[in-house]
């Protein structure tokens, strides 16, 4: 008997452990057995004449098993029915009392199970265990400091599509990061579906319907600040999986992957078989920081160019342009500017895009070439018979040569410094870069030797272990009159918030430059990791801040939307190709000459340049603006007025 009891208890425990539905089924079985036993009261005088006056017993009915079932069921479901048995025989009263007590217990158990089921469902939602039944959604795999900014950018291009996030991170932690980093509204909160799980597990990917997604963005995971491979390994595994075309049911979604370390870039491309665009966040940030240190206000141009709310890079096949010279179509798109052509090679395993930015004016556009445009999709209409801008004089200005930097002062140290030094080596001839951080000089030299892509040949690097937040230290390095001061988000120290050191360095630097009358007037550019920090930095006039999550997230969202423009972005940020410059407008027009933007475009092409926007430093009334106003593709036909402080956005070598 004891063995039977143990086995019965074991079987009961197994049923109960199967979940709420099994528990409800067991409760329903117990209720059926209870009502069935209660029906046996018909054999104990339920329909006897002595119970004829009892209210709960309907003697006018057939007095059969169906009536007994109804009597038993009503007593089990409605405890109030018990009082209507007054005057019945003691056997009937005993049955009625027992059914009422058991019925109350069953009803309480039912309420408890329903409540437990609701709580279990809410728990599953909180843990992100449930499946996602969506089609055409945007899927974000992985989580790092870029994720909140990426989500906010994806909302701009998502339309009615849902955003689904799968990451090996607590859901409440991800929601907290999103609330703290993004000015989130209710619509954004409702459109983001969070799921927790292993991003490289097939069953987890199937749970978020990855095969039915319209776009997939892969982020590196923040696991270690020291080991870049640990951060990028999940992204590389996903690239291996997504490169297999047999995985996709119908159309393969647009996929873009972000890796954190430039040394893993080639491995990531090999893993994805060059089919998936790979963006190296560290390399991208380094390129933008270096470019912005050479040209003030360039970060605003990048932000405007890749913002989904304005003009953006497009690549379109326009049959009407076939056989035309590139120079003849520069003003043929209204408020859109062609900046190049792209040849497309369709190989067996992938499509290769070969952009040619700013080709010669006499380049004849081939049928297979696409036109690279800076425009919104609604303004890229080809109008070959538009307003003519010909018969203009040659470029009156002198040749533009960006001032070469002789010394750059870098405050702080992070993994982006290696690419930055390599780029400065390409741009500076015989210059010096001074790096001040918390790292020991020998350790810093060792890291440089191990991580620099190739030896530096044009610049010398001086490293020093000093606290640059001390006034005397900073004054000593400013006395060397650096051309630019770059403040990196410093992870060489013990601080958990690198932005705090950036802010303190900016405060001290501004005070020294304003009160001490230093000979140096460097351009100061600071790297910010947390966009919420920018609210406390608005009073730093003349300092340029690059919010790296914003810039990288814009790039990722843009490439996820148009995979074909990744090579164009790489070309724009490369020191050996066509670059974005900010040039004075008086190179293209004579003093006092009236002109239109289309005139500037035509004249610039005579000098093998493409003008595609304006950076205004003054308002309509000539007042100095606190922040520059970037205008891309202004109206070509209207007269345009510029001040001596305004500059043109130019694509040239």
């Amino acid at each position: 008997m004891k063995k039977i009891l143990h086995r019965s208890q074991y079987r009961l425990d197994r049923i109960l452990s199967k979940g709420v539905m099994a528990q409800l089924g067991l409760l329903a079985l117990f209720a059926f057995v209870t009502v069935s036993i209660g029906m046996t009261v018909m054999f104990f005088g339920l329909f006897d004449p002595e119970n004829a006056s009892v209210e709960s017993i309907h003697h006018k009915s057939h007095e059969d098993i169906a009536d007994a079932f109804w009597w038993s069921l009503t007593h089990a479901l409605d405890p109030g029915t018990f009082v209507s048995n007054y005057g019945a025989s003691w056997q009937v009263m005993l049955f009625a009392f027992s059914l009422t007590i058991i019925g109350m217990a069953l009803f309480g158990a039912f309420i408890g199970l329903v409540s437990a089921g609701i709580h279990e469902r809410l728990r599953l939602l909180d843990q992100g265990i449930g499946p996602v039944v969506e089609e055409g959604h945007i899927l974000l795999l992985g989580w790092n400091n870029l994720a909140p900014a990426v989500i906010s950018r994806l909302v701009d291009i998502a339309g009615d599509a849902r955003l689904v996030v799968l990451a090996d991170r607590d859901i409440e932690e991800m929601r907290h990061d999103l609330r703290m980093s993004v000015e989130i509204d209710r619509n954004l909160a409702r459109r983001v579906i969070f799921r927790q799980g292993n991003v490289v597990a097939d069953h987890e990917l199937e749970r978020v319907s990855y095969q039915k997604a319209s776009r997939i963005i892969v982020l590196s995971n923040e696991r270690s600040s020291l080991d870049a491979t640990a951060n990028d390994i999940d992204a590389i595994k996903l690239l291996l999986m997504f490169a297999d075309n047999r995985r996709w049911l119908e159309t393969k979604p647009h996929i873009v992957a972000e890796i954190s370390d430039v040394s893993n870039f080639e491995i990531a491309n090999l893993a994805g078989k060059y089919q998936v665009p790979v963006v190296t966040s560290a390399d991208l940030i380094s390129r933008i920081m270096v470019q912005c240190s050479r040209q003030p206000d360039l970060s605003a141009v990048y932000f405007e160019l890749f913002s989904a709310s304005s003009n953006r890079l497009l690549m379109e096949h326009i049959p009407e342009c076939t056989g035309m010279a590139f120079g003849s179509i520069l003003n043929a798109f209204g408020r859109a500017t062609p900046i190049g052509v792209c040849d497309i090679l369709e190989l067996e395993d992938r499509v290769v895009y070969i952009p040619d930015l700013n080709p010669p004016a006499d380049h004849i556009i081939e049928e297979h070439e696409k036109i690279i445009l800076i425009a919104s999709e609604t303004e890229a209409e080809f109008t070959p018979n538009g307003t003519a801008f010909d018969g203009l004089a040659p470029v009156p200005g002198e040749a533009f040569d960006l001032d070469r930097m002789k010394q750059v002062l870098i405050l702080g140290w992070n993994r982006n410094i290696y690419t930055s030094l390599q780029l400065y080596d390409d741009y500076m001839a015989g210059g010096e870069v001074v790096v001040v951080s918390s790292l020991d000089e020998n350790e810093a030299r060792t890291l440089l030797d191990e991580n620099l892509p190739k030896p530096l040949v044009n610049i010398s690097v001086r490293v020093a272990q000093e606290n640059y937040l001390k006034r005397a230290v900073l004054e000593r390095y400013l006395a060397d009159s650096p051309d630019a001061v770059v403040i990196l988000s410093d992870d060489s120290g013990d601080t958990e918030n690198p932005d705090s050191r950036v802010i303190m360095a900016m405060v001290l630097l501004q005070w020294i430059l304003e009160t001490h009358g230093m000979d140096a007037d460097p351009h100061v550019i600071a790297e910010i990791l947390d966009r919420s920090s920018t609210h406390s930095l608005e009073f730093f006039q003349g300092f340029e801040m690059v919010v790296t999550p914003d810039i990288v997230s814009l790039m990722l969202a843009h490439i996820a939307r148009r995979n074909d423009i990744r090579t164009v972005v790489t070309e724009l940020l490369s020191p050996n190709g066509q670059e974005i410059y900010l040039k004075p407008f008086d190179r293209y027009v004579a003093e006092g000459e009236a002109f239109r933007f289309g005139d500037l475009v035509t004249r610039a092409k005579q000098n093998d340049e493409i003008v595609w926007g304006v950076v205004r430093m003054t308002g309509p009334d000539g007042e100095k603006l606190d922040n520059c106003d970037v205008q891309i593709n202004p109206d070509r036909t209207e007269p345009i007025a510029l001040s001596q402080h305004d500059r043109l956005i130019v694509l040239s070598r």
Side-chain angles (χ1 to χ4, degrees), residues 425-480:
D425 190 58
D426 292 330
Y427 287 120
M428 299 169 62
E432 180 186 41
V433 177
V434 181
V435 182
V436 183
S437 71
S438 302
L439 287 180
D440 175 77
E441 181 178 353
N442 293 330
E443 181 182 0
R445 290 290 180 185
T446 301
L447 289 173
L448 291 177
D449 292 340
E450 293 176 351
N451 294 285
L452 280 173
K454 57 184 179 180
L456 304 177
V457 295
N458 296 320
I459 63 171
S460 61
V461 178
R462 176 158 51 104
V463 295
Q465 182 185 19
E466 292 195 76
N467 184 4
Y468 53 81
L469 296 181
K470 291 184 177 181
R471 185 185 69 181
V473 173
L474 199 52
E475 287 178 344
R476 187 169 70 251
Y477 286 103
L478 289 175
D480 294 335

Side-chain angles (χ1 to χ4, degrees), residues 124-130 132 140 143 151 163-167 169-176 178 184 188-189 191-196 207-208:
L124 292 176
L125 290 175
D126 287 339
Q127 292 181 349
I129 297 177
V132 173
L140 183 66
W143 192 269
I151 290 173
L163 272 67
V164 180
V165 179
L166 174 65
R169 184 77 67 89
D170 181 74
I171 287 183
E172 280 305 314
E173 184 180 347
M174 290 189 285
R175 286 176 177 158
H176 177 267
L178 186 61
I184 188 171
L188 176 58
R191 292 174 62 183
V192 180
I193 301 172
F194 289 97
R195 290 295 181 264
Q196 182 179 8
R207 190 160 60 88
V208 293

Side-chain angles (χ1 to χ4, degrees), residues 138-157:
I138 300 177
L139 180 59
L140 183 66
L141 300 176
W143 192 269
N144 57 29
N145 68 313
L146 299 175
V150 171
I151 290 173
S152 67
R153 303 304 170 198
L154 291 175
V155 169
D156 296 331
I157 67 172

Side-chain angles (χ1 to χ4, degrees), residues 235-237 239-241 243 266-274:
I236 292 173
K237 289 179 180 178
L239 287 170
L240 282 168
M241 298 165 66
E266 186 61 30
I267 297 175
N269 277 320
L270 290 172
K273 297 180 180 179
Y274 293 92

Side-chain angles (χ1 to χ4, degrees), residues 27 30-31 33-35 37 75-77 95-109:
L27 183 65
F30 187 70
V33 172
T34 299
V35 172
I37 293 175
H75 282 72
L77 294 180
F95 268 89
F97 179 76
S98 300
L99 287 172
T100 299
I101 296 298
I102 295 175
M104 292 174 63
L106 289 173
F107 185 74

